[in-house]
């Protein structure tokens, strides 16, 4: 075992490992972090789309439902905007980052999100939509209108406009 060739080979192997091991560790840790980030982003997007897909059914005529929604929208002009097209805009950056419509439903009138614009890679109006639904529910109940959750909507992404559209 006094052969210096064995010692030189062992020292050479240690040097090669010292050079290659940090690169391998960085690369594998970076890949694992990227996968975890993608899973987290997918879970977050799924929760956001689930929230934006929630609908609200007011068991009343469309005219009465519009009056209720108009009253709520006028109370919070920084968050919500009545649009010329008859819908309502939810503001994140622009007044129409999400477009909400009042549509006929078999049980009355349904309030739903039709289109959502993306900012920073995800839709950002889910909290405001939740606020609008809660405020409309409270206002409708105050006027004696029955309120119930409606059927959930699914949204698909339109890559050309970076927005989500109700299906």
């Amino acid at each position: 075992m006094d052969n210096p060739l064995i010692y030189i080979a062992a020292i050479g192997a240690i040097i090669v490992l010292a050079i290659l091991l940090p690169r391998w560790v960085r690369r594998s840790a970076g890949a694992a972090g990227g996968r975890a980030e993608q899973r987290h982003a997918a879970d977050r997007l799924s929760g956001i789309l689930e929230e934006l897909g929630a609908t609200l059914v007011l068991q009343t005529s469309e005219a009465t439902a519009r009056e209720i929604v108009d009253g709520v929208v006028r109370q919070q002009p920084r968050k919500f905007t009545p649009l010329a097209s008859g819908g309502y805009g939810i503001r994140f950056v622009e007044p129409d980052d999400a477009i909400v419509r009042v549509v006929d439903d078999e049980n009355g009138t349904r309030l739903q999100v039709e289109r959502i614009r993306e900012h920073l890679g995800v839709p950002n109006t889910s909290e405001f939509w939740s606020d609008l639904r809660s405020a409309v529910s409270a206002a409708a109940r105050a006027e004696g209108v029955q309120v119930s959750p409606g059927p959930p909507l699914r949204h698909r992404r339109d890559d050309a406009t970076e927005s989500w559209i109700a299906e």
Side-chain angles (χ1 to χ4, degrees):
M1 281 279 284
D2 289 338
N3 189 351
L5 192 56
I6 293 175
Y7 294 120
I8 293 172
I11 292 171
I14 290 172
I15 290 172
V16 168
L17 279 175
I19 291 171
L20 297 179
L21 190 62
R23 290 181 189 163
W24 178 78
V25 169
R26 269 193 309 272
R27 198 170 36 246
S28 64
R35 288 190 302 272
E37 181 182 355
Q38 287 175 347
R39 280 193 306 270
H40 175 70
D43 289 345
R44 183 171 172 237
L45 180 61
S46 172
I48 289 170
L49 290 176
E50 185 176 320
E51 179 68 29
L52 289 167
T55 61
L56 184 68
V57 175
L58 306 174
Q59 297 173 0
T60 186
S61 68
E62 184 177 340
T64 305
R66 268 193 195 285
E67 288 176 20
I68 293 169
V69 176
D70 284 343
V72 170
V73 167
R74 274 190 245 111
Q75 290 175 358
Q76 299 181 28
R78 288 188 172 191
K79 288 183 183 180
F80 313 117
T81 306
L83 301 174
S85 63
Y88 304 93
I90 298 177
R91 178 189 304 266
F92 181 71
V93 175
E94 300 293 326
D96 62 346
D97 284 333
I99 295 179
V100 176
R101 297 254 184 240
V102 175
V103 296
D104 285 331
D105 187 76
E106 59 191 31
N107 297 323
T109 305
R110 185 174 60 231
L111 189 64
Q112 66 186 28
V113 175
E114 282 197 351
R115 186 183 59 79
I116 312 134
R117 188 175 299 135
E118 231 178 57
H119 290 287
L120 306 172
V122 293
N124 294 293
T125 54
S126 61
E127 290 178 30
F128 295 152
W129 170 235
S130 179
D131 293 347
L132 180 62
R133 280 194 339 261
S134 297
V136 168
S137 291
R141 287 189 179 107
E143 292 198 19
V145 175
Q146 295 263 347
V147 178
S148 62
L153 292 178
R154 292 178 43 97
H155 292 87
R156 67 173 170 76
R157 187 169 194 282
D158 181 15
D159 292 326
T161 60
E162 292 185 353
S163 62
W164 295 81
I165 300 168
E167 294 184 325

